[in-house]
Amino acid sequence: MQKHYNITVKGKVQGVWYRKNTQEKAIALQITGNVRNLPNGNVYIEAEGDKNQLNLLLEWCAIGPEFAKVDAVSFEEGDLQLFKSFDILR
């Protein structure tokens, strides 16, 4: 069953290729949605997939790419948007 997660990642997550690496991980997990930087320095992700796929993405988000330093990851379920791909929003 498809779920929609709104994920916020806090820490040193901008300027470290976090969005691009999130996109690559999401595509590998067959997750759709998008990722974007927020003005406060956080990264915001909307992700859709089954619960197992989304949990794997959450685990990855807690580590992130090589130069990231993740302090916290939070998420809440939202309404399905039926995304067709996983995009980086600017």
Side-chain angles (χ1 to χ4, degrees):
M1 184 175 146
Q2 292 285 99
K3 292 189 174 290
H4 177 107
Y5 283 7
N6 298 313
I7 304 166
T8 302
V9 185
K10 298 178 180 180
K12 182 179 178 239
V13 291
Q14 291 189 15
V16 293
W17 296 94
Y18 200 98
R19 290 177 300 165
K20 181 65 178 164
N21 282 271
T22 299
Q23 181 188 45
E24 291 170 357
K25 185 64 174 178
I27 290 169
L29 291 170
Q30 298 182 311
I31 289 172
T32 58
N34 59 66
V35 58
R36 67 179 179 264
N37 286 338
L38 296 178
N40 65 4
N42 295 339
V43 167
Y44 181 74
I45 303 162
E46 289 189 75
E48 293 184 347
D50 70 34
K51 190 174 181 180
N52 290 337
Q53 292 166 310
L54 293 171
N55 285 339
L56 289 170
L57 181 64
L58 286 172
E59 288 175 15
W60 181 87
C61 286
I63 299 164
E66 182 180 2
F67 296 107
K69 184 186 179 303
V70 178
D71 295 330
V73 176
S74 60
F75 78 97
E76 60 185 21
E77 285 195 39
D79 296 327
L80 281 177
Q81 305 294 314
L82 302 176
F83 297 111
K84 300 286 186 226
S85 59
F86 194 95
D87 301 310
I88 296 172
L89 303 182
R90 291 180 167 79

